[in-house]
Amino acid sequence: MVTPQAQTHADGVEAPASIVDALLARAREQGSRSAFTVVESERRTLALGSAELLERSLAAAAALKEQGLRRGDRLLICLPTSVDLLVAIYGTLLAGGVCVPIYPPQAREGLRRWKEQVRAIALVAQPCGAVTSAAARLHMAATLELCGEDLFTLTPAQLEGAGTERPQLPLPEDLAFIQFTSGTTTQPRGVSVSHASLAANMRALLAVMALGPGDVSVSWLPPYHDMGLVGHIFVPMLGRIHQHLMPPQVLLRTPLRWLELVTRAEATQTTAPNFAYSMCARRIAKSDRSRLDLSSLRWALNGSELVLAETLDEFAQTFAPCGFRREAFRPVYGLAEATLAATFSPEGGG
């Protein structure tokens, strides 16, 4: 059994020294409680406790090591929002690897562009392999072959049943993940984030928002960039927050589903870019709004793009009858180079 490392802060409270330590500590202390609830599709929702996540992630770590992954090796993770994605991310970290999350292919007409981006990322990141869906495996394998290396390509099913692996506790300077830009305007560029930087920004986020056990978070954000990855996959683990995840496509098809999930989960925190709040205010019918209850929200973060005052006003006025308080809005600014958050408006200021 590996003992999680902890750091003592000025307030005398111990906090896990890394995201790996946070998972180990939470699995030991809150193993049976739901850590994540994942809406994988219209008909499939899965709950995952931290002990089960640790067990499955250790099996994934063992499978990755059998394939040759070593401490510090980079691994492309190309999966939709799912339990499999969580297992692949935490399994990579438990094996001492570095996560490189990338978008899965979205549509047949975009496949050529996706392959170009994957190849560009692989040439920079120099991964040892990739984990991707069964549907995308052949495309991924063919793309990685063009990089001229002997790289493996696994599916989530191949991360199971390989036994367990002793967790690799990271050093502060070890990399946790590399985030690449979308590549829509130029070649994808990567930002390398160390375990020390990740832990420091997570602790700052939890402190400024006063979040912790008892809080419930909802997110549909893509888990391949910092706001979705750090804010809603890593921060909830450290803060012992119950995190609900849903795919971005659900929000884009039916904005109502996001606020229905906030209502059902009695969420205290959610995050979205400005456009999503505008979309909800303009596209959710009054008859549908009547069954929403947003009174539980303490934090409605608005970031990743320009925050418009008229959007805040429109959303607040539209959903005031649903219990939404304008003071819950928190315009925020961040950037991958800072791990995630850079500035926050203070609680109570609106």
Side-chain angles (χ1 to χ4, degrees):
M1 180 66 181
V2 174
T3 303
Q5 299 173 340
Q7 294 181 350
T8 302
H9 301 287
D11 57 7
V13 177
E14 281 197 349
S18 74
I19 188 61
V20 171
D21 295 293
L23 173 57
L24 295 173
R26 187 167 179 181
R28 185 185 67 240
E29 299 164 13
Q30 298 184 342
S32 60
R33 295 189 199 174
S34 290
F36 292 94
T37 299
V38 186
V39 179
E40 294 192 340
S41 67
E42 300 283 346
R43 299 181 179 180
R44 181 177 172 85
T45 298
L46 298 175
L48 188 66
S50 48
E52 181 184 356
L53 175 58
L54 176 60
E55 181 181 1
R56 292 181 61 176
S57 298
L58 286 172
L64 292 170
K65 287 202 164 186
E66 282 187 0
Q67 290 291 322
L69 183 142
R70 297 293 179 261
R71 188 183 196 119
D73 283 351
R74 291 87 183 274
L75 182 73
L76 302 183
I77 300 176
C78 182
L79 294 167
T81 301
S82 59
V83 168
D84 288 337
L85 173 72
L86 297 173
V87 170
I89 287 173
Y90 280 102
T92 301
L93 296 173
L94 286 165
V98 181
C99 300
V100 185
I102 57 175
Y103 283 91
Q106 298 296 318
R108 184 174 299 174
E109 58 269 19
L111 187 58
R112 179 179 176 182
R113 179 62 178 155
W114 175 81
K115 288 181 176 180
E116 292 173 353
Q117 292 175 341
V118 170
R119 186 183 180 194
I121 289 171
L123 290 172
V124 173
Q126 295 291 296
C128 62
V131 177
T132 192
S133 65
R137 186 185 181 192
L138 291 179
H139 297 304
M140 177 66 78
T143 303
L144 294 184
E145 279 184 14
L146 298 176
C147 298
E149 300 286 345
D150 185 19
L151 308 179
F152 63 82
T153 304
L154 299 179
T155 65
Q158 293 173 294
L159 297 181
E160 301 173 358
T164 57
E165 180 64 32
R166 184 179 175 85
Q168 291 269 0
L169 296 182
L171 298 173
E173 63 271 21
D174 288 346
L175 293 186
F177 67 94
I178 304 175
Q179 179 193 305
F180 279 85
T181 57
S182 63
T184 53
T185 58
T186 185
Q187 290 284 26
R189 297 183 180 183
V191 172
S192 301
V193 178
S194 70
H195 278 279
S197 294
L198 176 59
N201 205 252
M202 289 192 299
R203 288 193 293 266
L205 277 165
L206 292 169
V208 76
M209 293 196 292
L211 290 174
D215 278 300
V216 179
S217 178
V218 163
S219 173
W220 54 264
L221 296 170
Y224 322 107
H225 290 160
D226 50 0
M227 199 155 76
L229 177 64
V230 178
H232 294 281
I233 290 181
F234 292 148
V235 166
M237 181 57 65
L238 183 66
R240 290 170 166 76
I241 297 163
H242 185 179
Q243 177 67 58
H244 292 255
L245 299 171
M246 63 188 292
Q249 296 88 337
V250 174
L251 176 280
L252 297 175
R253 284 195 303 266
T254 314
L256 176 64
R257 292 287 303 279
W258 171 32
L259 300 187
E260 283 181 333
L261 184 54
V262 169
T263 298
R264 189 165 61 251
E266 297 182 357
T268 57
Q269 188 265 328
T270 193
T271 310
N274 192 86
F275 85 84
Y277 292 105
S278 179
M279 186 186 298
C280 286
R282 298 178 184 187
R283 287 178 48 182
I284 296 178
K286 187 175 182 179
S287 57
D288 290 325
R289 297 199 298 265
S290 64
R291 62 176 184 268
L292 297 177
D293 182 357
L294 308 181
S295 60
S296 60
L297 282 174
R298 291 197 296 117
W299 291 90
L301 305 185
N302 186 331
S304 93
E305 63 182 22
L306 199 63
V307 178
L308 301 179
E310 53 264 36
T311 299
L312 305 184
D313 292 337
E314 184 180 25
F315 186 94
Q317 292 168 9
T318 301
F319 293 99
C322 306
F324 182 79
R325 296 171 297 104
R326 198 186 193 287
E327 297 76 37
F329 267 132
R330 292 291 177 275
V332 297
Y333 175 76
L335 63 167
E337 292 85 346
T339 300
L340 176 57
T343 66
F344 264 74
S345 56
E347 187 171 13

